[in-house]
Amino acid sequence: MGLCRAIFTTNFDSVIEKAVAEVGRGSLAAYHLEGATNANEALNNEEFPIYCKLHGDLRYDNLKNLPEDLALGDAALTRCFINAGNRFGFVVTGYGGRDQSVMNQFREALCGNNPFPHGLYWTGIQGVPINAAVERLLNEATDHGVQAYYVPIETFDAFLLRLWRNTQNKPSDLDSRVRRTVSTTVNIQMPSQGRGKPLVRLNALPVVDPPTQTGPQNRGRSINRQNHDPRSGSLKPSVGPQVADNERDERGQGSRSSSPFG
C-alpha cells in the first residue's frame, strides 16, 4: 500500500520478512551489518520499502549485542537512518532507547536541515515511566521545531491493530489476511440441570465464606468435600495445610508462597 517507506529495527529476527511474505504476498530483503553499503543509495533512489537491521541479522555472524558493540553504530546504516530522518516522520514503537548508538543517530538527524518533517512520535506502555534518555531526546526535538510527542499505548499488538483499523481504503483481500479472526455475536444455550453425563468440573466456583485472618495458626485455606453446598453449587473454605503465607519460617530462611487452594 506504500504507507510505510522505511523501517529501522534493533531486532535480529526475521519476523517482518515473514509477515510481508505471508500477509502481503511479497518479499522484503533487509540491509544489515553484512549488507549495509547500498542502504543509503536505495533510499536516495526511493527503492521502497527499505528495511534496515541496525544491530545485525541473526542469520549472519556479525551482530551488535554487547555493550561495547552498541556504543557505535554501523556507518552505512547510520547514514541511511539520518537521511530518512530528514525526509520522513518517525514512529518509534517497541524500543526503549537504551543503547547509545541509536539515540546518537536520532540526535544526528536532529542536526540536519529538515529533521523529522512529519513529526517524531515515541510510543511506550501505559503506566511505565518514560526513559530519561527518551524524554531528553523529545525535548531536544521540540527545541529544533519538531512535533515530538510521547504516546502511551496498551501493547505493541494493540497499537498496530488500531493503526490498521484506522487505515483507509484497505484492499479487501489484504484485510482478510490480517483479520484472520473476526468477532461475532453467538448464542450458546445453557445446559439444563440434572445428573446426566458428561460431568464438567470447574475451578471457577464462588467462595461464600472467605477467611478473615491468616498467620502461623491459620496458614491458609483449602476446600474439602464436607464444605460443598449442593444447593448453591458453592464451596466454603476451611483451614488446611496446603496454602500460602509469605511469613518467614522459624529459621529465618525467607518467605514461602504457593497456590491459595493447593
Side-chain angles (χ1 to χ4, degrees), residues 183-213:
S183 59
T184 184
T185 302
V186 297
N187 183 14
I188 301 176
Q189 297 295 326
M190 294 296 294
S192 59
Q193 295 183 356
R195 297 180 177 273
K197 295 184 178 181
L199 301 177
V200 179
R201 289 188 176 186
L202 302 176
N203 61 358
L205 298 172
V207 177
V208 298
D209 186 17
T212 58
Q213 61 181 355

Side-chain angles (χ1 to χ4, degrees), residues 6-235:
I7 300 173
F8 297 87
T9 183
T10 56
N11 292 341
F12 308 124
D13 55 48
S14 57
V15 171
I16 298 296
E17 296 97 310
K18 291 179 179 178
V20 170
E22 183 175 344
V23 179
R25 304 289 172 85
S27 61
L28 181 66
Y31 295 96
H32 48 83
L33 299 180
E34 297 188 16
T37 55
N38 295 325
N40 195 51
E41 182 179 350
L43 180 62
N44 290 333
N45 293 334
E46 299 188 350
E47 299 173 8
F48 304 132
I50 294 171
Y51 181 41
C52 295
K53 295 185 175 181
L54 300 175
H55 290 171
D57 191 309
L58 194 61
R59 294 167 291 187
Y60 298 85
D61 294 333
N62 195 2
L63 298 174
K64 288 183 177 292
N65 198 24
L66 301 176
E68 55 268 26
D69 299 329
L70 299 177
L72 185 64
D74 178 83
L77 294 180
T78 296
R79 285 195 301 271
C80 184
F81 186 99
I82 296 172
N83 189 2
N86 278 265
R87 294 183 59 179
F88 312 123
F90 271 37
V91 176
V92 183
T93 187
Y95 175 65
R98 289 178 172 81
D99 62 87
Q100 181 179 342
S101 63
V102 175
M103 298 304 285
N104 287 341
Q105 291 174 16
F106 277 103
R107 289 189 169 86
E108 290 185 55
L110 286 176
C111 296
N113 295 325
N114 188 34
F116 306 106
H118 298 285
L120 175 59
Y121 304 91
W122 200 295
T123 67
I125 301 299
Q126 290 179 355
V128 177
I130 182 174
N131 185 0
V134 174
E135 188 172 16
R136 287 194 299 269
L137 175 67
L138 295 178
N139 289 334
E140 293 174 22
T142 301
D143 293 339
H144 282 79
V146 176
Q147 292 185 2
Y149 299 95
Y150 183 78
V151 183
I153 62 174
E154 298 96 335
T155 64
F156 175 75
D157 293 343
F159 170 65
L160 290 185
L161 181 58
R162 288 178 183 270
L163 284 181
W164 183 252
R165 285 177 175 174
N166 287 277
T167 299
Q168 302 297 317
N169 302 319
K170 296 185 289 287
S172 57
D173 59 336
L174 180 59
D175 189 41
S176 64
R177 290 194 294 272
V178 172
R179 298 174 180 267
R180 293 185 176 181
T181 59
V182 179
S183 59
T184 184
T185 302
V186 297
N187 183 14
I188 301 176
Q189 297 295 326
M190 294 296 294
S192 59
Q193 295 183 356
R195 297 180 177 273
K197 295 184 178 181
L199 301 177
V200 179
R201 289 188 176 186
L202 302 176
N203 61 358
L205 298 172
V207 177
V208 298
D209 186 17
T212 58
Q213 61 181 355
T214 184
Q217 304 302 320
N218 185 14
R219 302 182 68 177
R221 310 290 169 182
S222 65
I223 293 176
N224 58 38
R225 185 182 296 272
Q226 285 87 359
N227 284 359
H228 176 249
D229 185 349
R231 293 168 298 177
S232 65
S234 61
L235 296 170

